Amino acid sequence: KNLKNISEIKLNFELKEIEGKETKDKIVGYGIGEEGRDIFCTKNGDVISYSVERQGRIQKMVFDETSIPKFNGRFKVEVALSENFPEWDDDNNEVVGIETTIDEISVITMILTKNGEIYLYKHFTEVWENSVEGDDISVEAIGKIEGGILSYKVSQDEEMMVIATGLNTLMVMKKDFDFTLDHIQTIELSDHVKDHAENTGIVPQISWREDGEYFTVNYIDGYIQRIDTKTKMTNYKINVFTRSGDLESIAENPTEGGIHRSSKVTYRPDGRLIASSEYDENQEKNNIIFFEKNGLQHYNFELLKGKKVNVKQLQWNIDNEVLMVIVENEEKTSVQLWYRENYHWYKKLEHLMEDRISFATWDKETALKLHTVQENGQYNIFEYVWEVDSMEHLDKTNPMVIGVIDNQTLKLTPMKYVTTPPPMATCEIQTEAAIQQIAFAPSGKTFFVQLINGDVLSYGIDVVQAPPEFGLPPTLKKKVSLPLGRHLTALSDDTFVLVETHCEFKDEILLYNVNTEKLQRLTIDTLRLPVYGLAYRASDNLLFVQGQSGALWQATPGKPFERHTLDFGSPCPIIRASV
């Protein structure tokens, strides 16, 4: 199966310039508000809430100088902490993160700052009788952590919180529903933690197991001098603790010289594995490594060959299937999505970003939904679905070739004749860049492959060949350069469509003929949300488009689209048109 990007929303946060500094503000925290709104908090103290309604209307709510909300819908909330929160110090303070909880009458946002203050911002969704203007907002400071807050993490059950402090300690806290904090235990870390954070910006990484019974911490434990090169290496240590703060295990350190461990760590939600990264200087490989709860290294996979890259973030999605790896080097920043099956790791999808990523997280409620914010303020919401790519034409000569994406390799197997289990395949195609999506033509004689650089490759298969060839390996017929898109769909052996994403829900459908090299850009005026699916019916030459609301449009390719009478009411992740 392959991971398909079925929906992409692209918006722009208007991040402000930070006074006295030559940098823009950054997103540092994420939570979920009422009615599914996504709440973000910036480093400089702005709270922003976004909601995308079914009809695609962008609405806004702002706060004036008296902190009283003036409603103009429910799209965006901006509140400056420096104006509305007590004891805020603009020059030295910044937000570390936010946590949100929803109860029957309010949305509660807890905001934690670098200086150690913890604030509660309550927005009452049900205002009591005889209330006056402003009674639906409550702001209070509930405490201060001595030494400041370097990083923190709340358990998935929202009962526990671990805070890494500027006193080189971990504080294990019990958190009630109303964010009342009860200190349980203090854990001593290394004396290098705060200095390392101030000098490099690298803070202790904390990750909880899904049931909240264990958490893991990756922090600097000093420096090691290599004997051969006399260079100083940072020594990171990964510890596992129980929810009460008792040490469970210490991850084993590399025994060979030249292996650089990173500061990143993520606990797989089901608790089976702990992931981190390292660079093997001797073999010039960047690896993702895995530990068990007892600290023993389990296995690894090669992320990238060559120079050392910065693995900025690791995070599992909530159903344990996909590992997000954010990679930075001198040339680019990419979000890579990895999946394991039959003891093999596949890179299923990759997004090249326009700028460096300031914040990224998997959605807290939808397993295959990803949020990213870049330093230029661009906010992307990606939604994915698992799908099997195979020949579907109704013909006795159909060898039922199935294509499996693995980075720059496409694995092809004719399932009618052989049942080769992945990661093995009857034949493999190597491409010059990572493969994003594939689509088989209705005839079964052609398929198209789009790479991450936008190139679309056209391959031909001789479907009448007998075993053992089965028409494989395929023949490369043509290569064309187009914008990178979604929903690649083959209409014939020489024509395909794909969807190009633009800001503010302005998707375009690109219709391309590889023989005539003619490109048509098609739009649907009444479609106000992203395209969520495409399907083609060859028998009557009709192309169907599904919007994110579940509404359908249809057209003969190249002609204007008309609204279909059928409306699903909510989007279907996969749609097909029957013959």
Side-chain angles (χ1 to χ4, degrees), residues 487-500:
H487 295 297
L488 178 65
T489 303
L491 309 185
S492 67
D493 291 342
D494 52 22
T495 307
F496 61 85
V497 293
L498 56 83
V499 177
E500 184 182 8

Side-chain angles (χ1 to χ4, degrees), residues 12-26:
N12 282 313
F13 285 148
E14 296 178 2
L15 299 178
K16 304 170 185 176
E17 296 284 345
I18 300 177
E19 280 190 42
K21 300 180 182 179
E22 297 180 355
T23 58
K24 280 190 174 182
D25 208 354
K26 292 183 180 181

